[in-house]
């Protein structure tokens, strides 16, 4: 099953559950995409694929500028991972393919 597509995700943030749609577009062992939620859209940058494991970076601007580092595995259309928010720690992230 291809990992390309859109995923309905929830990130457990210090401000409560943040729902978003994560879109992944693969290109060999790299990928690009977006994470769109109620606070706007962030580009998935520096996306790397190793087997079924993904890593990426997002540069958040709202509610404050912050570099977020994501990692996840995708198995059978289920995304399970986390987002590291620096001083705010690691936040669990999960989702299912649309």
């Amino acid at each position: 099953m291809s990992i390309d597509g859109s995923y309905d995700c929830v990130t457990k943030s210090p401000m409560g559950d943040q729902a978003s749609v994560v879109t992944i577009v693969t290109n060999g062992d790299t990928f690009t995409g977006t994470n769109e939620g109620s606070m706007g859209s962030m580009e998935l940058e520096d996306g790397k694929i190793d087997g079924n494991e993904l890593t990426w970076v997002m540069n958040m601007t709202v509610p404050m500028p912050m570099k977020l580092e994501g990692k996840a595995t995708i198995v059978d259309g289920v995304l399970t991972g986390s987002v590291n928010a620096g001083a705010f720690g690691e936040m669990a992230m999960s989702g299912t393919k649309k």
Side-chain angles (χ1 to χ4, degrees):
M1 173 186 271
S2 169
I3 63 171
D4 287 82
S6 296
Y7 295 78
D8 285 319
C9 292
V10 173
T11 303
K12 304 281 188 185
S13 87
M15 300 182 303
D17 289 1
Q18 299 295 314
S20 65
V21 175
V22 173
T23 302
I24 295 172
V25 180
T26 60
N27 181 12
D29 60 358
T30 64
F31 71 95
T32 57
T34 56
N35 184 352
E36 296 184 49
S38 61
M39 292 193 214
S41 179
M42 293 182 284
E43 295 292 319
L44 304 184
E45 301 172 18
D46 199 24
K48 295 181 178 65
I49 303 169
D50 184 8
N52 65 347
E53 212 166 277
L54 286 71
T55 57
W56 69 93
V57 173
M58 297 178 288
N59 287 296
M60 182 173 81
T61 56
V62 177
M64 68 192 82
M66 183 183 306
K67 179 180 175 181
L68 304 174
E69 297 176 341
K71 63 181 176 183
T73 56
I74 297 177
V75 178
D76 296 330
V78 176
L79 182 150
T80 307
S82 62
V83 176
N84 187 318
F88 293 97
E90 201 155 87
M91 304 176 290
M93 178 183 201
S94 60
T96 52
K97 194 170 187 177
K98 289 185 167 201

